[in-house]
Amino acid sequence: MVATVETIEAVEQATGAYKYGFVTDIETEKSPKGLSEDVIRFISGKKMEPEWMLTWRLKAYRYWLKMTPPDWAKLNVPPIDYDNIYYYAAPKSAEAPKSLDEVDPELLRTYEKLGIPLNEQKMLAGVAVDAVFDSVSVATTFREELAKAGVIFCPISEAIREYPDLVRKYMGSVVPVSDNYFSALNSAVFTDGSFVYIPKGVRCPMELSTYFRINEKNTGQFERTLIIAEDSSYVSYLEGCTAPQRDENQLHAAVVELVAQTDAEIKYSTVQNWYPGDETGKGGIYNFVTKRGACRGDRSKISWTQVETGSAITWKYPSCVLKGKDSVGEFYSVAVTNGAQQADTGTKMIHLGEGSRSTIISKGISAGRSNNTYRGLVEMNKAAENSRNFTQCDSLLVGDTCGAHTVPYMVSRNPSAKIEHEATTSRISEDQLFYCLQRGLDEEEAVSLIVNGFCKEVMNELPMEFAVEAQKLIGISLEGSVG
Amino acid sequence: MQPERLYKTWADRKEAAQSYLESVNWPNGQTEAWKFTSLSHLSDVVLNPPKQSSSIARAARLDGEVLNFTAGLAPHLAAASLPAGIIASDISGDKAICHKAFALLPDNHHLTALSASCQTAAVKIEIAGSAKIDTPLILQFTDGKIDEASHPFIFIDIADGAHLHLAELHEGASSLSQPLILVRLGQGSTLDHIKLQDEANHTTHLGLTLFRLDGQANVNSFSVSKGSQITRMETHCFFAAPDAQAAMSAVYLGCDNQHHDITTVVSHEYADCKSRQLIRGVLDDKARGVFQGRVRVAPDAQKTDGQQMSRALLLSRDAEADAKPELEIFADDVVCSHGATVGELDETLLFYLKSRGIDEAEARTMLIDAFLVDTLEEISYQPFADFLRGQVSGWTARQTGVE
């Protein structure tokens, strides 16, 4: 019930304007506008990358030039001018800060406004934040404690220099350079992101967390995250993001790769709350993300949980390649769209190994004039003996001007594998609303309460800190959708 | 639906269709609508229009009034003795009617364009409202040669309050068989419809049947796909007024290296309409089965009830079943759901039957039959149900070796 009260408070606080809409003035160092081999060389040079990395980027760029953007999603994407984007913008500071005291105070104030517990985090239970401001990681904490456990948690640019063998071995092995249009673009121009390595037998002592933040105007953000969990290790990774209000559309094309070896488990949670644009969708973020995890080892497990409330356009399918015997893939998703938002999101479960299992629970909530599509693939391959999948997609419509769509794909090449899919579409019933109103809640509180109930199965999967924020977000996102 | 103003005349439409086909060639997996079924093999097939031959009257496997389309060519309608209330006319020369009919078909659709461009026959069948027609009307498609393509177009116009039993029997042998059947159901009219695809094993069958329903109209349709090499069988239902109902079920039976694609599109454009679909597939040997079902609910189509359930049974290690059920919903006061499963025969049930002394083959036959039988119960017209039951059981018995 506490969370509900907080949701109500959050809804009251929000006065129509986007809560996290502000721009911080910090000088940034930019690459020239547009994309060319020279810009890629510039980025690679700035990052002091080894030669192999530059070669890799250029290879990706050459693939990208030959590719076309995907057009199968139920999305109306205005043409993107790739030559009108800054591909590199880093906060200007002479040296990388060694502790929080060295971090630009303006930056810290931004985090404070966002409510990121960067300063207070030491009091918060075991959250280490690798904060990404624009494209460069500026502060990483709890390094020492993690180092004691043998865990590597650092910006990927640093990992490329410090742990080239690991990065070379795994980067691009889950999402190949030529996988899709946006992943190829990311591979060519990615500026930073996180690198996590959990050694054999280690249970990561805390939940790892990165807050992404897009700040500089016209800066496409191209994050690259790589998480490797060796045999019998465990890690829970939290990703959350907000972005300031602005006028021009911003492209975000991140790539996340997860590798789980034998008996390893990776739990990846996301709360996405980027600027959705104004009532017409103008100015919002384009979130075109490729996330994929490989369950390479036997009995390995990858679990994706996402709460998607922001962005003008979302194109995102966190996937699992279940190669190991008895490996497990999970996808829990809540996607809320309001105003003129468009979301086409879901997952892919590629079953390759014997006895692999996957669960998909997707909850889509559409309001305003938005369109919300679940699109998911379940593929049982020849060797996926006795594999199982269960998929449940529920859509909730708030109002009669929005759209809720479900597009599952099922491919079965093994008779002993079982695929089950269920989908329903409904709206908030008059009875439910009436009951809440009769108890003294106003209509918006009632909707927030009912919607949070509708999403409960997914919310339960979120780590505690995130669950509270996510509940608030859902309340705020649906604001103005009733009455 | 296609706005008529796009093409002012039939010639415009035909020209647009031709240039479209030239630009896209045969669809393959790159096109979302043809993700699971590629037609690129047709690039290598010689396709000629069918040659006129003396039509041999063939007895249909089902009792009724038969119109025989030999090799995709129109039957000799003057000679056909149709019961009172059924008027059939050749409209291949009547461009205005063809043009009007095609305006009711979906735009940007490969099969519509193919039909407009390559038509080998165009027949209009009118069903008068006052007539009481008890015998089923049977559209039978036979013959054809290995280098021929058949593209018959049949427009059936059912008057307000009329009733028709309609069977499509596809038993041709052309390399490409592409029948397009458009049925317009007037207010309060009813239609019992079945479609059996049992073409020669070298045929590519690309059938499209579209029902367009006026208010209170009711269609009960059932399709069985078991023949040909590659099949794409599309059934569309377009609710053009409130308060109509459609049941559109299908069974596909695949063996050897057959490919069966059942694609359905239900467009709820008005309020208070009901659609129901049950799809079952059984796949043996190296067969591949595809079910794609789209249910669209337009913004004003409140109180829509759209149900869909698809199940596939894999009998062999080399068979493949693909499904893509799709809900596209723009109205909030609706009840829509779809479900889909893929799996093999239940081992515990098989064991139970065997433990009662029933041998393996027979037990398997019983279970496959049971899997398919509840869909056949959807058929409301008994002679149709009996006929298709025979087709389905015959296939099962042959596959399991219990004949």
PDB file of all heavy atoms in Angstrom, chain A residues 287-316:
ATOM      1  N   ASN A 287      14.174   5.037 -29.529  1.00  0.00           N
ATOM      2  CA  ASN A 287      14.920   4.034 -28.782  1.00  0.00           C
ATOM      3  C   ASN A 287      14.984   2.734 -29.586  1.00  0.00           C
ATOM      4  O   ASN A 287      14.044   1.947 -29.566  1.00  0.00           O
ATOM      5  CB  ASN A 287      14.214   3.829 -27.427  1.00  0.00           C
ATOM      6  CG  ASN A 287      15.005   2.958 -26.496  1.00  0.00           C
ATOM      7  OD1 ASN A 287      16.211   2.855 -26.612  1.00  0.00           O
ATOM      8  ND2 ASN A 287      14.316   2.317 -25.570  1.00  0.00           N
ATOM      9  N   PHE A 288      16.046   2.559 -30.339  1.00  0.00           N
ATOM     10  CA  PHE A 288      16.187   1.397 -31.221  1.00  0.00           C
ATOM     11  C   PHE A 288      17.321   0.521 -30.693  1.00  0.00           C
ATOM     12  O   PHE A 288      18.482   0.724 -31.012  1.00  0.00           O
ATOM     13  CB  PHE A 288      16.510   1.846 -32.655  1.00  0.00           C
ATOM     14  CG  PHE A 288      15.461   2.744 -33.270  1.00  0.00           C
ATOM     15  CD1 PHE A 288      15.791   3.631 -34.274  1.00  0.00           C
ATOM     16  CD2 PHE A 288      14.142   2.699 -32.852  1.00  0.00           C
ATOM     17  CE1 PHE A 288      14.829   4.461 -34.851  1.00  0.00           C
ATOM     18  CE2 PHE A 288      13.178   3.522 -33.408  1.00  0.00           C
ATOM     19  CZ  PHE A 288      13.525   4.406 -34.417  1.00  0.00           C
ATOM     20  N   VAL A 289      16.947  -0.433 -29.870  1.00  0.00           N
ATOM     21  CA  VAL A 289      17.944  -1.135 -29.075  1.00  0.00           C
ATOM     22  C   VAL A 289      18.040  -2.609 -29.453  1.00  0.00           C
ATOM     23  O   VAL A 289      17.034  -3.256 -29.684  1.00  0.00           O
ATOM     24  CB  VAL A 289      17.570  -1.023 -27.577  1.00  0.00           C
ATOM     25  CG1 VAL A 289      18.624  -1.658 -26.717  1.00  0.00           C
ATOM     26  CG2 VAL A 289      17.389   0.425 -27.192  1.00  0.00           C
ATOM     27  N   THR A 290      19.247  -3.121 -29.484  1.00  0.00           N
ATOM     28  CA  THR A 290      19.448  -4.558 -29.697  1.00  0.00           C
ATOM     29  C   THR A 290      20.014  -5.153 -28.415  1.00  0.00           C
ATOM     30  O   THR A 290      21.115  -4.814 -28.010  1.00  0.00           O
ATOM     31  CB  THR A 290      20.432  -4.809 -30.862  1.00  0.00           C
ATOM     32  OG1 THR A 290      19.979  -4.080 -31.998  1.00  0.00           O
ATOM     33  CG2 THR A 290      20.501  -6.284 -31.192  1.00  0.00           C
ATOM     34  N   LYS A 291      19.218  -5.998 -27.776  1.00  0.00           N
ATOM     35  CA  LYS A 291      19.676  -6.634 -26.544  1.00  0.00           C
ATOM     36  C   LYS A 291      19.569  -8.127 -26.730  1.00  0.00           C
ATOM     37  O   LYS A 291      18.513  -8.616 -27.122  1.00  0.00           O
ATOM     38  CB  LYS A 291      18.789  -6.223 -25.365  1.00  0.00           C
ATOM     39  CG  LYS A 291      18.950  -4.782 -24.954  1.00  0.00           C
ATOM     40  CD  LYS A 291      18.129  -4.476 -23.731  1.00  0.00           C
ATOM     41  CE  LYS A 291      18.504  -3.094 -23.223  1.00  0.00           C
ATOM     42  NZ  LYS A 291      17.762  -2.717 -22.040  1.00  0.00           N
ATOM     43  N   ARG A 292      20.646  -8.818 -26.456  1.00  0.00           N
ATOM     44  CA  ARG A 292      20.588 -10.263 -26.639  1.00  0.00           C
ATOM     45  C   ARG A 292      21.503 -10.952 -25.635  1.00  0.00           C
ATOM     46  O   ARG A 292      22.584 -10.454 -25.341  1.00  0.00           O
ATOM     47  CB  ARG A 292      21.024 -10.620 -28.062  1.00  0.00           C
ATOM     48  CG  ARG A 292      20.675 -12.042 -28.464  1.00  0.00           C
ATOM     49  CD  ARG A 292      20.983 -12.292 -29.913  1.00  0.00           C
ATOM     50  NE  ARG A 292      20.272 -11.359 -30.776  1.00  0.00           N
ATOM     51  CZ  ARG A 292      20.662 -11.027 -32.010  1.00  0.00           C
ATOM     52  NH1 ARG A 292      21.739 -11.555 -32.519  1.00  0.00           N
ATOM     53  NH2 ARG A 292      19.966 -10.172 -32.732  1.00  0.00           N
ATOM     54  N   GLY A 293      21.035 -12.058 -25.132  1.00  0.00           N
ATOM     55  CA  GLY A 293      21.846 -12.818 -24.199  1.00  0.00           C
ATOM     56  C   GLY A 293      22.053 -14.226 -24.740  1.00  0.00           C
ATOM     57  O   GLY A 293      21.155 -14.793 -25.352  1.00  0.00           O
ATOM     58  N   ALA A 294      23.226 -14.775 -24.502  1.00  0.00           N
ATOM     59  CA  ALA A 294      23.504 -16.138 -24.935  1.00  0.00           C
ATOM     60  C   ALA A 294      23.683 -17.017 -23.711  1.00  0.00           C
ATOM     61  O   ALA A 294      24.572 -16.789 -22.900  1.00  0.00           O
ATOM     62  CB  ALA A 294      24.756 -16.171 -25.802  1.00  0.00           C
ATOM     63  N   CYS A 295      22.799 -18.005 -23.569  1.00  0.00           N
ATOM     64  CA  CYS A 295      22.962 -19.003 -22.509  1.00  0.00           C
ATOM     65  C   CYS A 295      23.840 -20.090 -23.099  1.00  0.00           C
ATOM     66  O   CYS A 295      23.349 -21.033 -23.715  1.00  0.00           O
ATOM     67  CB  CYS A 295      21.607 -19.568 -22.096  1.00  0.00           C
ATOM     68  SG  CYS A 295      20.647 -18.447 -21.084  1.00  0.00           S
ATOM     69  N   ARG A 296      25.156 -19.917 -22.960  1.00  0.00           N
ATOM     70  CA  ARG A 296      26.074 -20.827 -23.639  1.00  0.00           C
ATOM     71  C   ARG A 296      26.236 -22.145 -22.889  1.00  0.00           C
ATOM     72  O   ARG A 296      26.383 -23.197 -23.485  1.00  0.00           O
ATOM     73  CB  ARG A 296      27.462 -20.169 -23.756  1.00  0.00           C
ATOM     74  CG  ARG A 296      27.440 -18.884 -24.554  1.00  0.00           C
ATOM     75  CD  ARG A 296      28.372 -18.939 -25.746  1.00  0.00           C
ATOM     76  NE  ARG A 296      28.018 -17.872 -26.672  1.00  0.00           N
ATOM     77  CZ  ARG A 296      28.753 -16.775 -26.890  1.00  0.00           C
ATOM     78  NH1 ARG A 296      29.902 -16.634 -26.284  1.00  0.00           N
ATOM     79  NH2 ARG A 296      28.345 -15.860 -27.732  1.00  0.00           N
ATOM     80  N   GLY A 297      26.243 -22.039 -21.571  1.00  0.00           N
ATOM     81  CA  GLY A 297      26.534 -23.234 -20.789  1.00  0.00           C
ATOM     82  C   GLY A 297      25.264 -23.966 -20.363  1.00  0.00           C
ATOM     83  O   GLY A 297      24.172 -23.423 -20.398  1.00  0.00           O
ATOM     84  N   ASP A 298      25.449 -25.218 -19.960  1.00  0.00           N
ATOM     85  CA  ASP A 298      24.324 -25.996 -19.462  1.00  0.00           C
ATOM     86  C   ASP A 298      23.776 -25.336 -18.194  1.00  0.00           C
ATOM     87  O   ASP A 298      24.528 -24.782 -17.403  1.00  0.00           O
ATOM     88  CB  ASP A 298      24.767 -27.435 -19.145  1.00  0.00           C
ATOM     89  CG  ASP A 298      25.197 -28.177 -20.416  1.00  0.00           C
ATOM     90  OD1 ASP A 298      24.961 -27.630 -21.513  1.00  0.00           O
ATOM     91  OD2 ASP A 298      25.771 -29.267 -20.301  1.00  0.00           O
ATOM     92  N   ARG A 299      22.480 -25.417 -18.050  1.00  0.00           N
ATOM     93  CA  ARG A 299      21.767 -24.884 -16.881  1.00  0.00           C
ATOM     94  C   ARG A 299      22.015 -23.388 -16.648  1.00  0.00           C
ATOM     95  O   ARG A 299      21.848 -22.891 -15.548  1.00  0.00           O
ATOM     96  CB  ARG A 299      22.116 -25.677 -15.603  1.00  0.00           C
ATOM     97  CG  ARG A 299      21.699 -27.137 -15.651  1.00  0.00           C
ATOM     98  CD  ARG A 299      22.291 -27.932 -14.514  1.00  0.00           C
ATOM     99  NE  ARG A 299      23.728 -27.884 -14.486  1.00  0.00           N
ATOM    100  CZ  ARG A 299      24.522 -28.621 -15.278  1.00  0.00           C
ATOM    101  NH1 ARG A 299      24.007 -29.464 -16.148  1.00  0.00           N
ATOM    102  NH2 ARG A 299      25.832 -28.505 -15.206  1.00  0.00           N
ATOM    103  N   SER A 300      22.448 -22.683 -17.643  1.00  0.00           N
ATOM    104  CA  SER A 300      22.626 -21.235 -17.474  1.00  0.00           C
ATOM    105  C   SER A 300      21.257 -20.559 -17.588  1.00  0.00           C
ATOM    106  O   SER A 300      20.305 -21.136 -18.101  1.00  0.00           O
ATOM    107  CB  SER A 300      23.581 -20.698 -18.520  1.00  0.00           C
ATOM    108  OG  SER A 300      23.133 -21.038 -19.816  1.00  0.00           O
ATOM    109  N   LYS A 301      21.200 -19.320 -17.088  1.00  0.00           N
ATOM    110  CA  LYS A 301      19.897 -18.647 -17.064  1.00  0.00           C
ATOM    111  C   LYS A 301      20.059 -17.155 -17.321  1.00  0.00           C
ATOM    112  O   LYS A 301      20.929 -16.510 -16.748  1.00  0.00           O
ATOM    113  CB  LYS A 301      19.247 -18.866 -15.698  1.00  0.00           C
ATOM    114  CG  LYS A 301      17.903 -18.171 -15.553  1.00  0.00           C
ATOM    115  CD  LYS A 301      17.268 -18.488 -14.203  1.00  0.00           C
ATOM    116  CE  LYS A 301      16.003 -17.666 -14.018  1.00  0.00           C
ATOM    117  NZ  LYS A 301      15.398 -17.874 -12.714  1.00  0.00           N
ATOM    118  N   ILE A 302      19.241 -16.628 -18.203  1.00  0.00           N
ATOM    119  CA  ILE A 302      19.222 -15.181 -18.424  1.00  0.00           C
ATOM    120  C   ILE A 302      17.789 -14.700 -18.272  1.00  0.00           C
ATOM    121  O   ILE A 302      16.864 -15.274 -18.839  1.00  0.00           O
ATOM    122  CB  ILE A 302      19.782 -14.809 -19.813  1.00  0.00           C
ATOM    123  CG1 ILE A 302      21.301 -15.041 -19.830  1.00  0.00           C
ATOM    124  CG2 ILE A 302      19.461 -13.350 -20.164  1.00  0.00           C
ATOM    125  CD1 ILE A 302      21.983 -14.753 -21.137  1.00  0.00           C
ATOM    126  N   SER A 303      17.638 -13.659 -17.481  1.00  0.00           N
ATOM    127  CA  SER A 303      16.302 -13.138 -17.226  1.00  0.00           C
ATOM    128  C   SER A 303      16.267 -11.637 -17.548  1.00  0.00           C
ATOM    129  O   SER A 303      17.039 -10.869 -16.991  1.00  0.00           O
ATOM    130  CB  SER A 303      15.971 -13.390 -15.753  1.00  0.00           C
ATOM    131  OG  SER A 303      14.729 -12.859 -15.447  1.00  0.00           O
ATOM    132  N   TRP A 304      15.406 -11.260 -18.480  1.00  0.00           N
ATOM    133  CA  TRP A 304      15.230  -9.845 -18.822  1.00  0.00           C
ATOM    134  C   TRP A 304      13.954  -9.336 -18.155  1.00  0.00           C
ATOM    135  O   TRP A 304      12.913  -9.966 -18.277  1.00  0.00           O
ATOM    136  CB  TRP A 304      15.043  -9.650 -20.319  1.00  0.00           C
ATOM    137  CG  TRP A 304      16.152 -10.071 -21.225  1.00  0.00           C
ATOM    138  CD1 TRP A 304      16.233 -11.234 -21.928  1.00  0.00           C
ATOM    139  CD2 TRP A 304      17.328  -9.309 -21.564  1.00  0.00           C
ATOM    140  NE1 TRP A 304      17.391 -11.248 -22.685  1.00  0.00           N
ATOM    141  CE2 TRP A 304      18.080 -10.071 -22.488  1.00  0.00           C
ATOM    142  CE3 TRP A 304      17.808  -8.049 -21.186  1.00  0.00           C
ATOM    143  CZ2 TRP A 304      19.287  -9.632 -23.019  1.00  0.00           C
ATOM    144  CZ3 TRP A 304      19.010  -7.617 -21.724  1.00  0.00           C
ATOM    145  CH2 TRP A 304      19.736  -8.394 -22.625  1.00  0.00           C
ATOM    146  N   THR A 305      14.055  -8.227 -17.474  1.00  0.00           N
ATOM    147  CA  THR A 305      12.844  -7.588 -16.972  1.00  0.00           C
ATOM    148  C   THR A 305      12.876  -6.143 -17.451  1.00  0.00           C
ATOM    149  O   THR A 305      13.898  -5.474 -17.300  1.00  0.00           O
ATOM    150  CB  THR A 305      12.795  -7.609 -15.434  1.00  0.00           C
ATOM    151  OG1 THR A 305      12.981  -8.956 -14.998  1.00  0.00           O
ATOM    152  CG2 THR A 305      11.460  -7.104 -14.918  1.00  0.00           C
ATOM    153  N   GLN A 306      11.812  -5.681 -18.033  1.00  0.00           N
ATOM    154  CA  GLN A 306      11.833  -4.297 -18.495  1.00  0.00           C
ATOM    155  C   GLN A 306      10.536  -3.576 -18.179  1.00  0.00           C
ATOM    156  O   GLN A 306       9.458  -4.152 -18.241  1.00  0.00           O
ATOM    157  CB  GLN A 306      12.140  -4.224 -19.986  1.00  0.00           C
ATOM    158  CG  GLN A 306      11.121  -4.908 -20.886  1.00  0.00           C
ATOM    159  CD  GLN A 306      11.366  -4.634 -22.373  1.00  0.00           C
ATOM    160  OE1 GLN A 306      12.463  -4.313 -22.786  1.00  0.00           O
ATOM    161  NE2 GLN A 306      10.316  -4.737 -23.181  1.00  0.00           N
ATOM    162  N   VAL A 307      10.680  -2.322 -17.808  1.00  0.00           N
ATOM    163  CA  VAL A 307       9.529  -1.451 -17.667  1.00  0.00           C
ATOM    164  C   VAL A 307       9.782  -0.284 -18.616  1.00  0.00           C
ATOM    165  O   VAL A 307      10.704   0.498 -18.425  1.00  0.00           O
ATOM    166  CB  VAL A 307       9.357  -0.953 -16.214  1.00  0.00           C
ATOM    167  CG1 VAL A 307       8.206   0.035 -16.117  1.00  0.00           C
ATOM    168  CG2 VAL A 307       9.112  -2.129 -15.288  1.00  0.00           C
ATOM    169  N   GLU A 308       8.997  -0.238 -19.670  1.00  0.00           N
ATOM    170  CA  GLU A 308       9.216   0.755 -20.716  1.00  0.00           C
ATOM    171  C   GLU A 308       8.082   1.771 -20.657  1.00  0.00           C
ATOM    172  O   GLU A 308       6.944   1.445 -20.940  1.00  0.00           O
ATOM    173  CB  GLU A 308       9.189   0.074 -22.094  1.00  0.00           C
ATOM    174  CG  GLU A 308      10.209  -1.017 -22.274  1.00  0.00           C
ATOM    175  CD  GLU A 308      11.558  -0.469 -22.714  1.00  0.00           C
ATOM    176  OE1 GLU A 308      11.582   0.496 -23.491  1.00  0.00           O
ATOM    177  OE2 GLU A 308      12.578  -1.000 -22.250  1.00  0.00           O
ATOM    178  N   THR A 309       8.414   2.992 -20.251  1.00  0.00           N
ATOM    179  CA  THR A 309       7.347   3.996 -20.210  1.00  0.00           C
ATOM    180  C   THR A 309       7.669   5.195 -21.096  1.00  0.00           C
ATOM    181  O   THR A 309       6.788   5.951 -21.441  1.00  0.00           O
ATOM    182  CB  THR A 309       7.125   4.512 -18.773  1.00  0.00           C
ATOM    183  OG1 THR A 309       8.337   5.112 -18.332  1.00  0.00           O
ATOM    184  CG2 THR A 309       6.726   3.403 -17.843  1.00  0.00           C
ATOM    185  N   GLY A 310       8.934   5.382 -21.419  1.00  0.00           N
ATOM    186  CA  GLY A 310       9.324   6.596 -22.137  1.00  0.00           C
ATOM    187  C   GLY A 310       9.530   6.374 -23.620  1.00  0.00           C
ATOM    188  O   GLY A 310       9.079   5.383 -24.185  1.00  0.00           O
ATOM    189  N   SER A 311      10.222   7.325 -24.230  1.00  0.00           N
ATOM    190  CA  SER A 311      10.582   7.337 -25.654  1.00  0.00           C
ATOM    191  C   SER A 311       9.389   7.606 -26.567  1.00  0.00           C
ATOM    192  O   SER A 311       8.276   7.171 -26.287  1.00  0.00           O
ATOM    193  CB  SER A 311      11.237   6.032 -26.105  1.00  0.00           C
ATOM    194  OG  SER A 311      12.455   5.867 -25.437  1.00  0.00           O
ATOM    195  N   ALA A 312       9.666   8.319 -27.646  1.00  0.00           N
ATOM    196  CA  ALA A 312       8.621   8.552 -28.644  1.00  0.00           C
ATOM    197  C   ALA A 312       8.394   7.268 -29.427  1.00  0.00           C
ATOM    198  O   ALA A 312       7.264   6.869 -29.696  1.00  0.00           O
ATOM    199  CB  ALA A 312       9.035   9.674 -29.576  1.00  0.00           C
ATOM    200  N   ILE A 313       9.494   6.607 -29.792  1.00  0.00           N
ATOM    201  CA  ILE A 313       9.400   5.358 -30.544  1.00  0.00           C
ATOM    202  C   ILE A 313      10.330   4.323 -29.903  1.00  0.00           C
ATOM    203  O   ILE A 313      11.496   4.604 -29.658  1.00  0.00           O
ATOM    204  CB  ILE A 313       9.809   5.546 -32.024  1.00  0.00           C
ATOM    205  CG1 ILE A 313       9.010   6.694 -32.665  1.00  0.00           C
ATOM    206  CG2 ILE A 313       9.611   4.263 -32.813  1.00  0.00           C
ATOM    207  CD1 ILE A 313       9.409   7.001 -34.096  1.00  0.00           C
ATOM    208  N   THR A 314       9.789   3.171 -29.628  1.00  0.00           N
ATOM    209  CA  THR A 314      10.600   2.098 -29.049  1.00  0.00           C
ATOM    210  C   THR A 314      10.630   0.920 -30.018  1.00  0.00           C
ATOM    211  O   THR A 314       9.590   0.500 -30.515  1.00  0.00           O
ATOM    212  CB  THR A 314      10.017   1.644 -27.698  1.00  0.00           C
ATOM    213  OG1 THR A 314       9.947   2.768 -26.834  1.00  0.00           O
ATOM    214  CG2 THR A 314      10.878   0.567 -27.063  1.00  0.00           C
ATOM    215  N   TRP A 315      11.809   0.427 -30.274  1.00  0.00           N
ATOM    216  CA  TRP A 315      12.024  -0.746 -31.152  1.00  0.00           C
ATOM    217  C   TRP A 315      13.023  -1.603 -30.404  1.00  0.00           C
ATOM    218  O   TRP A 315      14.192  -1.320 -30.384  1.00  0.00           O
ATOM    219  CB  TRP A 315      12.585  -0.253 -32.484  1.00  0.00           C
ATOM    220  CG  TRP A 315      12.898  -1.280 -33.533  1.00  0.00           C
ATOM    221  CD1 TRP A 315      12.097  -1.663 -34.565  1.00  0.00           C
ATOM    222  CD2 TRP A 315      14.130  -2.007 -33.716  1.00  0.00           C
ATOM    223  NE1 TRP A 315      12.743  -2.586 -35.340  1.00  0.00           N
ATOM    224  CE2 TRP A 315      13.985  -2.815 -34.858  1.00  0.00           C
ATOM    225  CE3 TRP A 315      15.336  -2.067 -33.013  1.00  0.00           C
ATOM    226  CZ2 TRP A 315      14.991  -3.664 -35.310  1.00  0.00           C
ATOM    227  CZ3 TRP A 315      16.346  -2.914 -33.467  1.00  0.00           C
ATOM    228  CH2 TRP A 315      16.161  -3.697 -34.611  1.00  0.00           C
ATOM    229  N   LYS A 316      12.526  -2.619 -29.723  1.00  0.00           N
ATOM    230  CA  LYS A 316      13.394  -3.282 -28.758  1.00  0.00           C
ATOM    231  C   LYS A 316      12.946  -4.711 -28.491  1.00  0.00           C
ATOM    232  O   LYS A 316      11.787  -4.930 -28.157  1.00  0.00           O
ATOM    233  CB  LYS A 316      13.334  -2.465 -27.457  1.00  0.00           C
ATOM    234  CG  LYS A 316      14.197  -2.974 -26.347  1.00  0.00           C
ATOM    235  CD  LYS A 316      14.011  -2.118 -25.115  1.00  0.00           C
ATOM    236  CE  LYS A 316      14.787  -2.682 -23.969  1.00  0.00           C
ATOM    237  NZ  LYS A 316      14.486  -2.006 -22.712  1.00  0.00           N
TER     238      LYS A 316
END
